[in-house]
Amino acid sequence: MQKMECPCGYIYDPEEGDADNGIDAGTPFEDLPEDWVCPKCGAEKEYFYPAD
């Protein structure tokens, strides 16, 4: 599964999810709720790009 990076440097790793915001491990980025935002800076999903 593809890791996605926010311009602020936060990397969403699908294998880890985002437990602090109720996202289970194994959740692909494209399956995140539309209102999910970066837990570090609050950026919306549209600003994320594939991480290397």
mmCIF file of all heavy atoms in Angstrom:
data_model
loop_
_atom_site.group_PDB
_atom_site.id
_atom_site.type_symbol
_atom_site.label_atom_id
_atom_site.label_comp_id
_atom_site.label_asym_id
_atom_site.label_seq_id
_atom_site.Cartn_x
_atom_site.Cartn_y
_atom_site.Cartn_z
ATOM 1 N N MET A 1 0.839 -1.188 0.000
ATOM 2 C CA MET A 1 0.000 0.000 0.000
ATOM 3 C C MET A 1 0.880 1.245 0.000
ATOM 4 O O MET A 1 1.913 1.287 0.652
ATOM 5 C CB MET A 1 -0.919 0.001 1.222
ATOM 6 C CG MET A 1 -2.077 -0.967 1.100
ATOM 7 S SD MET A 1 -3.276 -0.837 2.447
ATOM 8 C CE MET A 1 -2.447 -1.803 3.702
ATOM 9 N N GLN A 2 0.448 2.236 -0.712
ATOM 10 C CA GLN A 2 1.215 3.469 -0.911
ATOM 11 C C GLN A 2 1.163 4.384 0.311
ATOM 12 O O GLN A 2 0.086 4.686 0.818
ATOM 13 C CB GLN A 2 0.658 4.220 -2.130
ATOM 14 C CG GLN A 2 1.290 5.564 -2.391
ATOM 15 C CD GLN A 2 2.725 5.452 -2.857
ATOM 16 O OE1 GLN A 2 3.007 4.772 -3.823
ATOM 17 N NE2 GLN A 2 3.627 6.115 -2.169
ATOM 18 N N LYS A 3 2.333 4.821 0.771
ATOM 19 C CA LYS A 3 2.397 5.846 1.810
ATOM 20 C C LYS A 3 2.160 7.188 1.128
ATOM 21 O O LYS A 3 2.562 7.396 -0.018
ATOM 22 C CB LYS A 3 3.766 5.854 2.489
ATOM 23 C CG LYS A 3 4.050 4.595 3.286
ATOM 24 C CD LYS A 3 5.425 4.672 3.912
ATOM 25 C CE LYS A 3 5.746 3.391 4.661
ATOM 26 N NZ LYS A 3 7.100 3.425 5.237
ATOM 27 N N MET A 4 1.498 8.094 1.840
ATOM 28 C CA MET A 4 1.203 9.417 1.295
ATOM 29 C C MET A 4 1.781 10.474 2.224
ATOM 30 O O MET A 4 1.685 10.357 3.447
ATOM 31 C CB MET A 4 -0.297 9.610 1.144
ATOM 32 C CG MET A 4 -0.956 8.629 0.181
ATOM 33 S SD MET A 4 -0.453 8.856 -1.530
ATOM 34 C CE MET A 4 -1.364 10.328 -1.950
ATOM 35 N N GLU A 5 2.368 11.514 1.618
ATOM 36 C CA GLU A 5 3.033 12.552 2.399
ATOM 37 C C GLU A 5 2.310 13.882 2.290
ATOM 38 O O GLU A 5 1.849 14.282 1.225
ATOM 39 C CB GLU A 5 4.479 12.713 1.919
ATOM 40 C CG GLU A 5 5.283 13.661 2.773
ATOM 41 C CD GLU A 5 6.774 13.617 2.480
ATOM 42 O OE1 GLU A 5 7.206 12.771 1.693
ATOM 43 O OE2 GLU A 5 7.499 14.451 3.034
ATOM 44 N N CYS A 6 2.237 14.562 3.420
ATOM 45 C CA CYS A 6 1.650 15.896 3.486
ATOM 46 C C CYS A 6 2.765 16.919 3.250
ATOM 47 O O CYS A 6 3.927 16.652 3.578
ATOM 48 C CB CYS A 6 1.049 16.088 4.882
ATOM 49 S SG CYS A 6 0.253 17.692 5.123
ATOM 50 N N PRO A 7 2.445 18.081 2.716
ATOM 51 C CA PRO A 7 3.471 19.118 2.546
ATOM 52 C C PRO A 7 4.209 19.472 3.849
ATOM 53 O O PRO A 7 5.349 19.916 3.816
ATOM 54 C CB PRO A 7 2.695 20.313 2.013
ATOM 55 C CG PRO A 7 1.536 19.706 1.288
ATOM 56 C CD PRO A 7 1.175 18.492 2.108
ATOM 57 N N CYS A 8 3.577 19.238 5.009
ATOM 58 C CA CYS A 8 4.217 19.564 6.287
ATOM 59 C C CYS A 8 5.254 18.511 6.693
ATOM 60 O O CYS A 8 5.998 18.703 7.651
ATOM 61 C CB CYS A 8 3.180 19.717 7.394
ATOM 62 S SG CYS A 8 2.512 18.157 8.030
ATOM 63 N N GLY A 9 5.275 17.375 5.973
ATOM 64 C CA GLY A 9 6.239 16.330 6.280
ATOM 65 C C GLY A 9 5.638 15.094 6.935
ATOM 66 O O GLY A 9 6.286 14.057 7.034
ATOM 67 N N TYR A 10 4.371 15.179 7.372
ATOM 68 C CA TYR A 10 3.708 14.011 7.951
ATOM 69 C C TYR A 10 3.508 12.960 6.868
ATOM 70 O O TYR A 10 3.128 13.285 5.740
ATOM 71 C CB TYR A 10 2.351 14.403 8.533
ATOM 72 C CG TYR A 10 1.496 13.222 8.941
ATOM 73 C CD1 TYR A 10 1.702 12.576 10.160
ATOM 74 C CD2 TYR A 10 0.501 12.738 8.107
ATOM 75 C CE1 TYR A 10 0.927 11.486 10.537
ATOM 76 C CE2 TYR A 10 -0.283 11.652 8.474
ATOM 77 C CZ TYR A 10 -0.058 11.033 9.686
ATOM 78 O OH TYR A 10 -0.817 9.952 10.063
ATOM 79 N N ILE A 11 3.779 11.709 7.192
ATOM 80 C CA ILE A 11 3.565 10.619 6.242
ATOM 81 C C ILE A 11 2.482 9.695 6.780
ATOM 82 O O ILE A 11 2.602 9.171 7.895
ATOM 83 C CB ILE A 11 4.866 9.840 5.983
ATOM 84 C CG1 ILE A 11 5.877 10.751 5.294
ATOM 85 C CG2 ILE A 11 4.587 8.595 5.137
ATOM 86 C CD1 ILE A 11 7.212 10.106 4.996
ATOM 87 N N TYR A 12 1.421 9.529 5.978
ATOM 88 C CA TYR A 12 0.379 8.566 6.329
ATOM 89 C C TYR A 12 0.832 7.201 5.829
ATOM 90 O O TYR A 12 1.052 7.008 4.628
ATOM 91 C CB TYR A 12 -0.971 8.912 5.697
ATOM 92 C CG TYR A 12 -1.995 7.831 5.975
ATOM 93 C CD1 TYR A 12 -2.587 7.740 7.226
ATOM 94 C CD2 TYR A 12 -2.325 6.881 5.015
ATOM 95 C CE1 TYR A 12 -3.496 6.726 7.518
ATOM 96 C CE2 TYR A 12 -3.220 5.865 5.294
ATOM 97 C CZ TYR A 12 -3.797 5.792 6.551
ATOM 98 O OH TYR A 12 -4.674 4.779 6.839
ATOM 99 N N ASP A 13 0.985 6.263 6.764
ATOM 100 C CA ASP A 13 1.393 4.899 6.437
ATOM 101 C C ASP A 13 0.181 3.993 6.634
ATOM 102 O O ASP A 13 -0.279 3.805 7.760
ATOM 103 C CB ASP A 13 2.540 4.463 7.353
ATOM 104 C CG ASP A 13 3.078 3.083 7.018
ATOM 105 O OD1 ASP A 13 2.408 2.339 6.261
ATOM 106 O OD2 ASP A 13 4.154 2.746 7.515
ATOM 107 N N PRO A 14 -0.361 3.437 5.536
ATOM 108 C CA PRO A 14 -1.555 2.590 5.645
ATOM 109 C C PRO A 14 -1.361 1.403 6.595
ATOM 110 O O PRO A 14 -2.319 0.950 7.213
ATOM 111 C CB PRO A 14 -1.791 2.095 4.220
ATOM 112 C CG PRO A 14 -1.038 3.022 3.352
ATOM 113 C CD PRO A 14 0.086 3.561 4.163
ATOM 114 N N GLU A 15 -0.158 0.913 6.719
ATOM 115 C CA GLU A 15 0.091 -0.226 7.595
ATOM 116 C C GLU A 15 -0.063 0.158 9.068
ATOM 117 O O GLU A 15 -0.320 -0.693 9.907
ATOM 118 C CB GLU A 15 1.477 -0.816 7.330
ATOM 119 C CG GLU A 15 1.574 -1.469 5.959
ATOM 120 C CD GLU A 15 2.902 -2.156 5.727
ATOM 121 O OE1 GLU A 15 3.686 -2.311 6.677
ATOM 122 O OE2 GLU A 15 3.144 -2.549 4.577
ATOM 123 N N GLU A 16 0.089 1.448 9.369
ATOM 124 C CA GLU A 16 -0.048 1.928 10.747
ATOM 125 C C GLU A 16 -1.402 2.569 11.013
ATOM 126 O O GLU A 16 -1.891 2.575 12.142
ATOM 127 C CB GLU A 16 1.052 2.944 11.060
ATOM 128 C CG GLU A 16 2.446 2.346 11.044
ATOM 129 C CD GLU A 16 3.518 3.379 11.323
ATOM 130 O OE1 GLU A 16 3.184 4.529 11.692
ATOM 131 O OE2 GLU A 16 4.697 3.036 11.170
ATOM 132 N N GLY A 17 -2.010 3.138 9.977
ATOM 133 C CA GLY A 17 -3.270 3.856 10.146
ATOM 134 C C GLY A 17 -3.051 5.155 10.920
ATOM 135 O O GLY A 17 -1.960 5.712 10.935
ATOM 136 N N ASP A 18 -4.092 5.623 11.575
ATOM 137 C CA ASP A 18 -4.039 6.856 12.376
ATOM 138 C C ASP A 18 -4.912 6.612 13.599
ATOM 139 O O ASP A 18 -6.043 7.098 13.693
ATOM 140 C CB ASP A 18 -4.539 8.037 11.544
ATOM 141 C CG ASP A 18 -4.535 9.359 12.306
ATOM 142 O OD1 ASP A 18 -3.931 9.414 13.403
ATOM 143 O OD2 ASP A 18 -5.142 10.320 11.810
ATOM 144 N N ALA A 19 -4.385 5.827 14.529
ATOM 145 C CA ALA A 19 -5.141 5.387 15.701
ATOM 146 C C ALA A 19 -5.717 6.553 16.500
ATOM 147 O O ALA A 19 -6.827 6.461 17.026
ATOM 148 C CB ALA A 19 -4.280 4.512 16.591
ATOM 149 N N ASP A 20 -4.991 7.664 16.579
ATOM 150 C CA ASP A 20 -5.465 8.813 17.346
ATOM 151 C C ASP A 20 -6.761 9.392 16.782
ATOM 152 O O ASP A 20 -7.494 10.084 17.481
ATOM 153 C CB ASP A 20 -4.395 9.904 17.400
ATOM 154 C CG ASP A 20 -3.178 9.491 18.213
ATOM 155 O OD1 ASP A 20 -3.285 8.535 19.023
ATOM 156 O OD2 ASP A 20 -2.121 10.115 18.045
ATOM 157 N N ASN A 21 -7.003 9.129 15.502
ATOM 158 C CA ASN A 21 -8.198 9.654 14.850
ATOM 159 C C ASN A 21 -9.149 8.549 14.380
ATOM 160 O O ASN A 21 -9.973 8.769 13.491
ATOM 161 C CB ASN A 21 -7.801 10.560 13.676
ATOM 162 C CG ASN A 21 -7.141 11.821 14.176
ATOM 163 O OD1 ASN A 21 -7.772 12.636 14.830
ATOM 164 N ND2 ASN A 21 -5.864 11.983 13.906
ATOM 165 N N GLY A 22 -9.007 7.356 14.963
ATOM 166 C CA GLY A 22 -9.946 6.273 14.689
ATOM 167 C C GLY A 22 -9.756 5.542 13.375
ATOM 168 O O GLY A 22 -10.665 4.876 12.903
ATOM 169 N N ILE A 23 -8.564 5.671 12.774
ATOM 170 C CA ILE A 23 -8.298 4.987 11.511
ATOM 171 C C ILE A 23 -7.496 3.715 11.805
ATOM 172 O O ILE A 23 -6.368 3.786 12.314
ATOM 173 C CB ILE A 23 -7.504 5.896 10.540
ATOM 174 C CG1 ILE A 23 -8.214 7.240 10.332
ATOM 175 C CG2 ILE A 23 -7.261 5.171 9.217
ATOM 176 C CD1 ILE A 23 -9.595 7.160 9.735
ATOM 177 N N ASP A 24 -8.089 2.584 11.481
ATOM 178 C CA ASP A 24 -7.446 1.300 11.761
ATOM 179 C C ASP A 24 -6.228 1.061 10.880
ATOM 180 O O ASP A 24 -6.178 1.528 9.730
ATOM 181 C CB ASP A 24 -8.437 0.156 11.536
ATOM 182 C CG ASP A 24 -9.578 0.173 12.530
ATOM 183 O OD1 ASP A 24 -9.378 0.642 13.669
ATOM 184 O OD2 ASP A 24 -10.674 -0.306 12.170
ATOM 185 N N ALA A 25 -5.267 0.311 11.427
ATOM 186 C CA ALA A 25 -4.121 -0.131 10.640
ATOM 187 C C ALA A 25 -4.647 -0.943 9.463
ATOM 188 O O ALA A 25 -5.636 -1.668 9.588
ATOM 189 C CB ALA A 25 -3.182 -0.963 11.505
ATOM 190 N N GLY A 26 -4.006 -0.790 8.309
ATOM 191 C CA GLY A 26 -4.427 -1.505 7.113
ATOM 192 C C GLY A 26 -5.414 -0.728 6.261
ATOM 193 O O GLY A 26 -5.905 -1.243 5.257
ATOM 194 N N THR A 27 -5.705 0.530 6.635
ATOM 195 C CA THR A 27 -6.645 1.354 5.867
ATOM 196 C C THR A 27 -5.897 2.114 4.767
ATOM 197 O O THR A 27 -5.063 2.969 5.062
ATOM 198 C CB THR A 27 -7.365 2.373 6.779
ATOM 199 O OG1 THR A 27 -8.032 1.670 7.826
ATOM 200 C CG2 THR A 27 -8.370 3.202 5.985
ATOM 201 N N PRO A 28 -6.173 1.796 3.490
ATOM 202 C CA PRO A 28 -5.524 2.528 2.391
ATOM 203 C C PRO A 28 -5.911 4.008 2.421
ATOM 204 O O PRO A 28 -7.009 4.361 2.853
ATOM 205 C CB PRO A 28 -6.073 1.864 1.130
ATOM 206 C CG PRO A 28 -6.657 0.563 1.578
ATOM 207 C CD PRO A 28 -7.073 0.758 3.004
ATOM 208 N N PHE A 29 -5.010 4.854 1.945
ATOM 209 C CA PHE A 29 -5.250 6.300 1.935
ATOM 210 C C PHE A 29 -6.569 6.642 1.241
ATOM 211 O O PHE A 29 -7.341 7.471 1.724
ATOM 212 C CB PHE A 29 -4.086 7.026 1.252
ATOM 213 C CG PHE A 29 -4.185 8.520 1.336
ATOM 214 C CD1 PHE A 29 -3.816 9.196 2.487
ATOM 215 C CD2 PHE A 29 -4.646 9.264 0.264
ATOM 216 C CE1 PHE A 29 -3.916 10.579 2.584
ATOM 217 C CE2 PHE A 29 -4.738 10.654 0.339
ATOM 218 C CZ PHE A 29 -4.369 11.305 1.499
ATOM 219 N N GLU A 30 -6.834 5.980 0.113
ATOM 220 C CA GLU A 30 -8.048 6.304 -0.643
ATOM 221 C C GLU A 30 -9.325 5.921 0.097
ATOM 222 O O GLU A 30 -10.407 6.397 -0.247
ATOM 223 C CB GLU A 30 -8.016 5.657 -2.038
ATOM 224 C CG GLU A 30 -7.868 4.155 -2.030
ATOM 225 C CD GLU A 30 -6.422 3.668 -2.076
ATOM 226 O OE1 GLU A 30 -5.495 4.476 -1.851
ATOM 227 O OE2 GLU A 30 -6.235 2.468 -2.317
ATOM 228 N N ASP A 31 -9.206 5.081 1.124
ATOM 229 C CA ASP A 31 -10.379 4.690 1.913
ATOM 230 C C ASP A 31 -10.582 5.546 3.166
ATOM 231 O O ASP A 31 -11.524 5.316 3.919
ATOM 232 C CB ASP A 31 -10.270 3.216 2.324
ATOM 233 C CG ASP A 31 -10.432 2.277 1.138
ATOM 234 O OD1 ASP A 31 -10.856 2.735 0.061
ATOM 235 O OD2 ASP A 31 -10.129 1.081 1.296
ATOM 236 N N LEU A 32 -9.721 6.523 3.374
ATOM 237 C CA LEU A 32 -9.901 7.417 4.519
ATOM 238 C C LEU A 32 -11.168 8.245 4.306
ATOM 239 O O LEU A 32 -11.520 8.555 3.168
ATOM 240 C CB LEU A 32 -8.698 8.368 4.659
ATOM 241 C CG LEU A 32 -7.372 7.732 5.041
ATOM 242 C CD1 LEU A 32 -6.268 8.776 4.991
ATOM 243 C CD2 LEU A 32 -7.442 7.106 6.414
ATOM 244 N N PRO A 33 -11.845 8.611 5.387
ATOM 245 C CA PRO A 33 -13.050 9.448 5.236
ATOM 246 C C PRO A 33 -12.707 10.766 4.522
ATOM 247 O O PRO A 33 -11.584 11.276 4.651
ATOM 248 C CB PRO A 33 -13.470 9.728 6.687
ATOM 249 C CG PRO A 33 -12.800 8.685 7.515
ATOM 250 C CD PRO A 33 -11.542 8.303 6.786
ATOM 251 N N GLU A 34 -13.664 11.287 3.788
ATOM 252 C CA GLU A 34 -13.443 12.538 3.042
ATOM 253 C C GLU A 34 -13.065 13.699 3.957
ATOM 254 O O GLU A 34 -12.341 14.606 3.548
ATOM 255 C CB GLU A 34 -14.677 12.901 2.219
ATOM 256 C CG GLU A 34 -14.866 12.026 0.998
ATOM 257 C CD GLU A 34 -13.666 12.048 0.056
ATOM 258 O OE1 GLU A 34 -13.160 13.135 -0.261
ATOM 259 O OE2 GLU A 34 -13.225 10.965 -0.358
ATOM 260 N N ASP A 35 -13.518 13.668 5.211
ATOM 261 C CA ASP A 35 -13.235 14.772 6.126
ATOM 262 C C ASP A 35 -11.970 14.553 6.963
ATOM 263 O O ASP A 35 -11.665 15.359 7.838
ATOM 264 C CB ASP A 35 -14.436 15.051 7.029
ATOM 265 C CG ASP A 35 -14.812 13.861 7.909
ATOM 266 O OD1 ASP A 35 -14.234 12.755 7.730
ATOM 267 O OD2 ASP A 35 -15.681 14.021 8.774
ATOM 268 N N TRP A 36 -11.232 13.467 6.671
ATOM 269 C CA TRP A 36 -9.976 13.230 7.387
ATOM 270 C C TRP A 36 -8.970 14.302 6.982
ATOM 271 O O TRP A 36 -8.904 14.696 5.814
ATOM 272 C CB TRP A 36 -9.425 11.837 7.047
ATOM 273 C CG TRP A 36 -8.166 11.496 7.756
ATOM 274 C CD1 TRP A 36 -8.043 10.937 8.987
ATOM 275 C CD2 TRP A 36 -6.821 11.684 7.287
ATOM 276 N NE1 TRP A 36 -6.722 10.767 9.321
ATOM 277 C CE2 TRP A 36 -5.946 11.228 8.294
ATOM 278 C CE3 TRP A 36 -6.271 12.210 6.129
ATOM 279 C CZ2 TRP A 36 -4.561 11.263 8.159
ATOM 280 C CZ3 TRP A 36 -4.891 12.248 6.007
ATOM 281 C CH2 TRP A 36 -4.054 11.785 7.012
ATOM 282 N N VAL A 37 -8.216 14.807 7.960
ATOM 283 C CA VAL A 37 -7.180 15.804 7.684
ATOM 284 C C VAL A 37 -5.879 15.367 8.339
ATOM 285 O O VAL A 37 -5.866 14.518 9.231
ATOM 286 C CB VAL A 37 -7.570 17.214 8.188
ATOM 287 C CG1 VAL A 37 -8.783 17.743 7.442
ATOM 288 C CG2 VAL A 37 -7.823 17.203 9.688
ATOM 289 N N CYS A 38 -4.786 15.947 7.914
ATOM 290 C CA CYS A 38 -3.476 15.652 8.479
ATOM 291 C C CYS A 38 -3.509 15.897 9.989
ATOM 292 O O CYS A 38 -3.891 16.980 10.433
ATOM 293 C CB CYS A 38 -2.418 16.544 7.829
ATOM 294 S SG CYS A 38 -0.770 16.393 8.569
ATOM 295 N N PRO A 39 -3.106 14.901 10.781
ATOM 296 C CA PRO A 39 -3.132 15.081 12.233
ATOM 297 C C PRO A 39 -2.069 16.053 12.742
ATOM 298 O O PRO A 39 -2.138 16.515 13.869
ATOM 299 C CB PRO A 39 -2.899 13.670 12.775
ATOM 300 C CG PRO A 39 -2.265 12.922 11.667
ATOM 301 C CD PRO A 39 -2.737 13.549 10.392
ATOM 302 N N LYS A 40 -1.128 16.385 11.884
ATOM 303 C CA LYS A 40 -0.048 17.298 12.296
ATOM 304 C C LYS A 40 -0.382 18.764 11.986
ATOM 305 O O LYS A 40 -0.186 19.630 12.824
ATOM 306 C CB LYS A 40 1.256 16.882 11.601
ATOM 307 C CG LYS A 40 2.473 17.628 12.066
ATOM 308 C CD LYS A 40 3.731 17.043 11.443
ATOM 309 C CE LYS A 40 4.968 17.833 11.847
ATOM 310 N NZ LYS A 40 6.168 17.300 11.199
ATOM 311 N N CYS A 41 -0.916 19.013 10.766
ATOM 312 C CA CYS A 41 -1.138 20.416 10.378
ATOM 313 C C CYS A 41 -2.575 20.734 9.964
ATOM 314 O O CYS A 41 -2.914 21.893 9.759
ATOM 315 C CB CYS A 41 -0.182 20.812 9.259
ATOM 316 S SG CYS A 41 -0.632 20.157 7.636
ATOM 317 N N GLY A 42 -3.414 19.697 9.786
ATOM 318 C CA GLY A 42 -4.802 19.932 9.418
ATOM 319 C C GLY A 42 -5.066 20.050 7.928
ATOM 320 O O GLY A 42 -6.175 20.375 7.524
ATOM 321 N N ALA A 43 -4.046 19.748 7.088
ATOM 322 C CA ALA A 43 -4.244 19.820 5.635
ATOM 323 C C ALA A 43 -5.229 18.745 5.186
ATOM 324 O O ALA A 43 -5.270 17.649 5.733
ATOM 325 C CB ALA A 43 -2.915 19.647 4.907
ATOM 326 N N GLU A 44 -6.014 19.055 4.160
ATOM 327 C CA GLU A 44 -6.977 18.108 3.624
ATOM 328 C C GLU A 44 -6.280 17.076 2.744
ATOM 329 O O GLU A 44 -5.157 17.282 2.288
ATOM 330 C CB GLU A 44 -8.041 18.863 2.837
ATOM 331 C CG GLU A 44 -8.841 19.797 3.735
ATOM 332 C CD GLU A 44 -9.848 20.631 2.960
ATOM 333 O OE1 GLU A 44 -9.844 20.590 1.722
ATOM 334 O OE2 GLU A 44 -10.632 21.324 3.621
ATOM 335 N N LYS A 45 -6.971 15.965 2.488
ATOM 336 C CA LYS A 45 -6.406 14.848 1.728
ATOM 337 C C LYS A 45 -5.871 15.267 0.363
ATOM 338 O O LYS A 45 -4.895 14.709 -0.122
ATOM 339 C CB LYS A 45 -7.463 13.761 1.521
ATOM 340 C CG LYS A 45 -7.783 12.954 2.747
ATOM 341 C CD LYS A 45 -8.926 11.980 2.525
ATOM 342 C CE LYS A 45 -8.667 11.000 1.431
ATOM 343 N NZ LYS A 45 -9.758 10.043 1.229
ATOM 344 N N GLU A 46 -6.520 16.237 -0.275
ATOM 345 C CA GLU A 46 -6.145 16.633 -1.638
ATOM 346 C C GLU A 46 -4.710 17.164 -1.735
ATOM 347 O O GLU A 46 -4.136 17.198 -2.813
ATOM 348 C CB GLU A 46 -7.116 17.675 -2.184
ATOM 349 C CG GLU A 46 -7.066 18.996 -1.440
ATOM 350 C CD GLU A 46 -8.126 19.977 -1.915
ATOM 351 O OE1 GLU A 46 -9.263 19.883 -1.429
ATOM 352 O OE2 GLU A 46 -7.786 20.816 -2.762
ATOM 353 N N TYR A 47 -4.123 17.572 -0.605
ATOM 354 C CA TYR A 47 -2.779 18.136 -0.636
ATOM 355 C C TYR A 47 -1.684 17.083 -0.466
ATOM 356 O O TYR A 47 -0.505 17.393 -0.604
ATOM 357 C CB TYR A 47 -2.640 19.215 0.442
ATOM 358 C CG TYR A 47 -3.556 20.372 0.191
ATOM 359 C CD1 TYR A 47 -4.701 20.560 0.961
ATOM 360 C CD2 TYR A 47 -3.321 21.256 -0.843
ATOM 361 C CE1 TYR A 47 -5.569 21.604 0.723
ATOM 362 C CE2 TYR A 47 -4.184 22.314 -1.103
ATOM 363 C CZ TYR A 47 -5.304 22.478 -0.318
ATOM 364 O OH TYR A 47 -6.162 23.501 -0.578
ATOM 365 N N PHE A 48 -2.080 15.847 -0.168
ATOM 366 C CA PHE A 48 -1.098 14.768 0.007
ATOM 367 C C PHE A 48 -0.613 14.266 -1.352
ATOM 368 O O PHE A 48 -1.329 14.338 -2.342
ATOM 369 C CB PHE A 48 -1.735 13.610 0.784
ATOM 370 C CG PHE A 48 -1.788 13.821 2.270
ATOM 371 C CD1 PHE A 48 -2.614 14.792 2.820
ATOM 372 C CD2 PHE A 48 -1.029 13.036 3.114
ATOM 373 C CE1 PHE A 48 -2.676 14.974 4.186
ATOM 374 C CE2 PHE A 48 -1.079 13.213 4.487
ATOM 375 C CZ PHE A 48 -1.903 14.184 5.029
ATOM 376 N N TYR A 49 0.599 13.759 -1.378
ATOM 377 C CA TYR A 49 1.181 13.207 -2.591
ATOM 378 C C TYR A 49 1.924 11.921 -2.233
ATOM 379 O O TYR A 49 2.269 11.717 -1.049
ATOM 380 C CB TYR A 49 2.116 14.216 -3.260
ATOM 381 C CG TYR A 49 3.179 14.788 -2.339
ATOM 382 C CD1 TYR A 49 4.412 14.153 -2.188
ATOM 383 C CD2 TYR A 49 2.930 15.938 -1.604
ATOM 384 C CE1 TYR A 49 5.378 14.660 -1.337
ATOM 385 C CE2 TYR A 49 3.887 16.451 -0.735
ATOM 386 C CZ TYR A 49 5.106 15.810 -0.621
ATOM 387 O OH TYR A 49 6.060 16.320 0.237
ATOM 388 N N PRO A 50 2.151 11.039 -3.203
ATOM 389 C CA PRO A 50 2.835 9.776 -2.912
ATOM 390 C C PRO A 50 4.221 10.003 -2.298
ATOM 391 O O PRO A 50 4.996 10.820 -2.799
ATOM 392 C CB PRO A 50 2.946 9.091 -4.263
ATOM 393 C CG PRO A 50 1.841 9.699 -5.076
ATOM 394 C CD PRO A 50 1.737 11.123 -4.595
ATOM 395 N N ALA A 51 4.499 9.285 -1.218
ATOM 396 C CA ALA A 51 5.813 9.366 -0.575
ATOM 397 C C ALA A 51 6.767 8.422 -1.284
ATOM 398 O O ALA A 51 6.360 7.409 -1.844
ATOM 399 C CB ALA A 51 5.687 9.003 0.897
ATOM 400 N N ASP A 52 8.031 8.747 -1.259
ATOM 401 C CA ASP A 52 9.043 7.893 -1.895
ATOM 402 C C ASP A 52 9.251 6.606 -1.138
ATOM 403 O O ASP A 52 9.156 6.542 0.056
ATOM 404 C CB ASP A 52 10.378 8.639 -1.971
ATOM 405 C CG ASP A 52 10.300 9.799 -2.967
ATOM 406 O OD1 ASP A 52 9.497 9.722 -3.907
ATOM 407 O OD2 ASP A 52 11.038 10.764 -2.774
#
